[in-house]
RNA sequence: GCCGGGGUGACAGAGAGGCCAUGUGGCGGACUGCAGAUCCGCAGACAGGAGUUCAAAUCUCCUUCCCGGCCCCA
């Protein structure tokens, strides 16, 4: 079964063939570390997390690199406002980044290079570009001569002449051509800067990615990813720099994730319509957030709203309930229950979906269908122990990719236990619940047992009160033919 | 202006020539003391127009609306 990836370069799905058999170098553009991450950043991280997981699951030896842009105008400005050193602010934001991304279960990349720590490589590359005649120095800054590259615009489809019409870029006083872009920016007084052959300064935005790709992966990377908003000019310019310097193709497959929107408009700092990841995490679980993101195609825009997060939660609960049930109950039937075939088929379809340009939405649909089969079997008691095991392991494999399910079990209080019908506390209807003990499973078992006893005695009023009191404490009781089952919400 | 991507049932959102998407919600039923969960069934759709084809959400053309990019941005 062959993996196909939608390549922005050709705007088509192409069979995935890495440069070296079984090895994949993937570079994903990271964030500028001047502020906390919003959900849009999380979307990108989650999408590429799953891309990497699937590649690894297919047996590829993956090297995943994601950068931090820690030298940047906005960062400098923000640090200045706050009265801190830019690199200190950056360190703080990087901690922040890892803190939320870890919560979202993003597997760490193999390296997170920072622009500030890649300066020698960057300078090396700029020198090379100057030597080749594709860049020039002007008042301490260095610019790339865009017009010297003949196949300009192959990624974004932009043509230089068209663009100039629409652009209002003022010819920077140091640039020879308004289309040229900075490889190296001369330092203004008091700014963070590094020594270079052109004097003190700092790298331009695009060059760090080119330098890092070369340093950590090689002249050609298999997959280069990022948001669609980076296609132009960032990625286009990376191509110019890298291909000119390396004289080799820069990227085999360009992958771009769609924007997260709010009321159909791009979520962004400048529009102030963003939701910070740590804020959203206060209201929704990491699993819900991942599910929300993965329940859409990565290339399309996805609209954020509380309603859609709520719906994602409901949907995910359905899957989780089935998984929890499977983890909690053993099978009782003997002989063939058809789960081997069902699981094999589901897994095949799921893999096919993932191989089709990482169609996570379709993969999720497959799991829902398997859930229906499982629930049906669960209800009519026709699952065998091996059937349960097969289902559980299929869910686990799914979860290795998606990481949206918890390994949670529920507790069953069997109804059949006649000896426990006598309550110690029968008098009061509103029994006092000891809040200090609510985290104690055995205590909850006791309470649920009391309710169960009340039900047996047809004291439904009392039973319902216990149920609603527990519900207030986040404990949900469900009655099943086998007895009452409870779990923490 | 130029370059991209889109308009799918009540909603979210897949699919890319013939067949079921899936989830939420709605309606009916089973189960149940009730609730919930679950199962079974039902309704409801491909922006508009023209064309290609035995067959079109799916391909072509036109119209229209929306979003993204062209300063920064995942």
């Amino acid at each position: 079964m062959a993996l196909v990836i939608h390549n922005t370069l050709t705007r088509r799905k192409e069979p995935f063939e890495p440069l070296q058999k079984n090895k994949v170098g993937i570079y994903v553009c990271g964030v500028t570390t001047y502020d906390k991450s919003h959900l849009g950043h999380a979307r990108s991280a989650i999408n590429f997390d799953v891309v990497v997981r699937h590649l690894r699951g297919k047996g590829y030896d993956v090297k995943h690199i994601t950068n931090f842009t820690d030298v940047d105008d906005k960062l400098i400005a923000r640090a200045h406002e706050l009265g801190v050193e830019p690199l200190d602010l950056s360190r703080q934001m990087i901690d922040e980044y890892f803190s939320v991304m870890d919560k979202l279960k993003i597997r760490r990349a193999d390296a997170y290079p920072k622009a500030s720590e890649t300066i020698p490589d960057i300078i090396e590359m700029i020198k090379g570009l100057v030597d080749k005649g594709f860049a020039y120095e002007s008042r301490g800054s260095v610019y790339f001569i865009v017009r010297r590259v003949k196949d300009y615009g192959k990624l974004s489809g932009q043509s230089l002449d068209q663009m100039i019409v629409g652009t209002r870029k003022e010819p920077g006083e140091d640039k020879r051509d308004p289309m040229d872009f900075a490889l190296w920016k001369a330092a203004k007084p008091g700014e963070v800067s590094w020594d270079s052959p052109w004097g003190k300064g700092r790298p331009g935005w695009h060059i760090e990615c080119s330098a890092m790709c070369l340093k950590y992966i090689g002249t050609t990377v298999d997959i280069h990813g990022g948001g669609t908003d980076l296609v132009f000019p960032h990625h286009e310019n990376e191509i110019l720099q890298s291909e000119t310097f390396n004289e080799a193709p820069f990227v085999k497959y360009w992958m771009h994730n769609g924007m997260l929107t709010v009321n159909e408009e791009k979520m962004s700092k400048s529009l102030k319509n963003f939701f910070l990841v740590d804020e959203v995490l206060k209201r929704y679980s990491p699993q819900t957030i991942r599910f929300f993101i993965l329940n859409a195609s990565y290339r399309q825009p996805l609209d954020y709203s509380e309603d859609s997060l709520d719906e994602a939660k409901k949907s995910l609960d359905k899957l989780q309930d089935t998984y929890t049930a499977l983890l909690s109950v053993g099978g009782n039937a003997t002989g063939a229950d058809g789960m081997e075939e069902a699981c094999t088929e589901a897994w095949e379809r799921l893999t096919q979906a993932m191989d089709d340009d990482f169609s996570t939405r379709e993969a999720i649909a497959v799991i829902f269908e398997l859930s229906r089969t499982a629930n049906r079997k669960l209800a009519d008691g026709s699952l065998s122990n091996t059937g349960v095991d097969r289902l559980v392991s299929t869910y686990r494999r799914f979860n290795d990719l998606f990481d949206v399910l918890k390994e949670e079990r529920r507790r069953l209080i069997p109804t059949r236990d006649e000896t426990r019908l006598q309550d110690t506390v029968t008098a009061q209807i509103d029994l006092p619940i000891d809040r200090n003990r609510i985290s104690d499973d055995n205590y909850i078992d006791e309470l649920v047992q009391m309710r169960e006893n009340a039900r047996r005695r047809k004291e439904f009023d009392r039973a319902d009160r216990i149920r609603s009191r527990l519900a207030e404490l986040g404990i949900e009781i469900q009655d099943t033919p086998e007895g009452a089952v409870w779990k923490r919400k």
Side-chain angles (χ1 to χ4, degrees):
Chain A
M1 200 175 314
L3 171 65
V4 294
I5 294 182
H6 178 91
N7 192 348
T8 311
L9 206 50
T10 55
R11 278 182 269 112
R12 280 203 311 253
K13 289 182 187 175
E14 297 175 356
F16 179 64
E17 283 155 19
L19 238 44
Q20 292 170 263
K21 214 173 169 47
N22 285 321
K23 290 196 123 190
V24 178
I26 173 168
Y27 181 94
V28 181
C29 280
V31 295
T32 302
T33 56
Y34 77 105
D35 204 350
K36 292 180 174 185
S37 296
H38 64 235
L39 213 57
H41 301 117
R43 179 183 191 187
S44 187
I46 290 168
N47 284 147
F48 285 104
D49 178 47
V50 172
V51 166
V52 170
R53 286 180 189 226
H54 185 238
L55 290 169
R56 292 209 165 113
K58 289 185 77 69
Y60 287 112
D61 176 11
V62 180
K63 189 172 196 185
H64 169 203
I65 308 295
T66 284
N67 69 306
F68 284 124
T69 301
D70 64 346
V71 182
D72 159 271
D73 288 338
K74 267 195 264 193
L75 176 66
I76 292 170
R78 178 54 84 74
H80 189 73
E81 268 171 42
L82 297 170
V84 296
E85 286 301 309
L87 290 179
D88 286 338
L89 173 64
S90 164
R91 260 187 291 277
Q92 203 182 314
M93 289 305 137
I94 288 170
D95 288 346
E96 178 72 31
Y97 177 89
F98 282 130
S99 148
V100 299
M101 294 304 171
D102 286 351
K103 280 183 194 143
L104 290 176
K105 302 174 181 298
I106 310 293
R107 299 238 170 105
R108 296 263 181 132
D110 296 289
Y112 289 92
K114 298 174 196 142
S116 67
E117 290 169 0
T118 316
I119 303 290
D121 306 86
I122 290 171
I123 290 177
E124 197 58 34
M125 192 172 252
I126 299 175
K127 270 204 294 208
L129 292 171
V130 173
D131 290 347
K132 285 177 190 243
F134 280 83
Y136 57 92
E137 186 267 327
S138 166
R139 290 203 235 163
S141 293
V142 182
Y143 298 95
F144 190 94
I145 307 167
V146 172
R147 285 187 187 276
R148 189 152 296 174
V149 179
K150 63 247 148 267
D151 59 348
Y152 180 86
K154 57 184 166 189
L155 184 65
S156 60
Q158 300 282 348
S159 103
L160 280 177
D161 299 316
Q162 304 281 28
M163 225 168 345
I164 288 170
V165 181
T167 198
R168 48 171 165 65
K169 216 182 287 183
E170 289 152 40
E173 52 229 3
D174 305 339
K175 286 187 199 173
R176 291 182 197 160
D177 183 318
M179 291 317 296
D180 293 348
F181 62 89
L183 297 168
W184 188 260
K185 293 178 164 184
K188 297 188 190 100
E191 274 183 359
V192 258
S193 62
W194 287 264
D195 287 323
S196 80
W198 317 282
K200 283 194 176 296
R202 58 195 167 89
W205 176 35
H206 316 297
I207 193 73
E208 65 179 78
C209 291
S210 285
M212 288 168 183
C213 282
L214 178 59
K215 181 174 177 184
Y216 290 89
I217 296 176
T219 51
T220 304
V221 307
D222 293 299
I223 301 174
H224 189 130
T228 49
D229 53 351
L230 297 181
V231 172
F232 184 89
H234 186 55
H235 289 333
E236 198 71 74
N237 288 348
E238 281 183 44
I239 294 176
L240 303 185
Q241 299 161 345
S242 289
E243 299 199 341
T244 304
F245 184 80
N246 296 322
E247 297 178 14
F250 179 40
V251 171
K252 276 201 87 172
Y253 304 90
W254 283 98
M255 289 182 67
H256 295 278
N257 67 274
M259 295 294 100
L260 192 68
T261 58
V262 179
N263 296 324
E264 312 281 289
E265 280 192 323
K266 178 182 169 185
M267 179 180 289
S268 73
K269 288 281 155 75
S270 47
L271 288 170
K272 296 196 185 139
N273 61 350
F274 57 89
F275 292 83
L276 295 176
V277 180
D278 57 358
E279 292 296 328
V280 181
L281 273 169
K282 286 178 191 161
R283 304 212 41 205
Y284 299 96
S285 69
Q287 287 82 4
T288 297
I289 296 170
R290 286 182 74 96
F291 186 87
F292 167 68
I293 303 284
L294 296 172
N295 203 202
S297 153
Y298 79 89
R299 285 197 274 131
Q300 262 12 93
L302 175 64
D303 204 48
Y304 169 92
S305 71
E306 299 243 321
D307 282 353
S308 17
L309 263 295
D310 288 341
E311 194 185 315
K313 185 189 177 323
K314 276 187 217 158
S315 289
L316 178 58
D317 279 350
K318 191 185 170 86
L319 284 186
Q320 180 70 59
D321 283 349
T322 305
Y323 185 52
T324 300
L326 289 169
L327 287 174
S328 310
V329 302
N332 32 39
T334 49
D337 56 11
M339 286 305 99
E340 179 167 9
E341 299 74 26
C343 288
T344 306
E345 198 230 320
W347 188 254
E348 250 167 45
R349 288 209 289 142
L350 199 148
T351 312
Q352 261 168 35
M354 291 303 291
D355 278 348
D356 182 12
D357 196 33
F358 310 95
S359 302
T360 51
R361 189 95 210 297
E362 216 179 314
I364 285 172
V366 171
I367 278 292
F368 270 110
E369 282 171 29
L370 184 65
S371 285
R372 193 166 61 224
T373 308
N375 283 326
R376 206 184 295 138
K377 293 269 169 188
L378 233 25
D380 69 15
S382 64
L383 273 183
S384 67
N385 278 319
T386 49
V388 171
D389 289 348
R390 285 207 174 92
L391 284 165
V392 166
S393 70
T394 306
Y395 277 76
R396 287 225 170 96
R397 291 174 82 182
F398 161 76
N399 211 35
D400 284 342
L401 242 32
F402 285 70
D403 224 329
V404 293
L405 295 172
K406 294 187 217 167
E407 290 285 306
E408 87 189 355
R409 275 154 224 276
R410 59 191 193 181
R411 310 265 289 193
L412 176 72
I413 307 300
T415 28
R416 305 194 183 92
D417 191 355
E418 300 289 337
T419 60
R420 299 188 65 179
L421 266 173
Q422 301 300 319
D423 268 3
T424 43
V425 203
T426 45
Q428 70 243 78
I429 280 180
D430 284 305
L431 81 164
I433 290 179
D434 185 351
R435 290 186 176 252
N436 297 323
R437 294 180 64 199
I438 56 167
S439 55
D440 177 0
D441 287 350
N442 293 323
Y443 178 59
I444 305 298
D445 279 355
E446 257 176 63
L447 295 170
V448 175
Q449 182 68 57
M450 278 183 207
R451 168 174 176 275
E452 199 53 24
N453 294 347
R455 288 184 67 220
R456 299 294 305 269
R457 284 190 240 101
K458 307 251 191 271
E459 292 169 21
F460 296 120
D461 195 33
R462 175 171 156 80
D464 291 350
R465 276 166 201 260
I466 298 177
R467 179 173 61 194
S468 61
R469 294 291 302 279
L470 285 171
E472 286 162 21
L473 299 169
I475 288 152
E476 190 183 85
I477 299 179
Q478 273 177 34
D479 297 322
T480 73
E482 287 77 40
V485 134
W486 68 268
K487 65 173 188 182
R488 296 171 194 283
K489 267 299 207 186

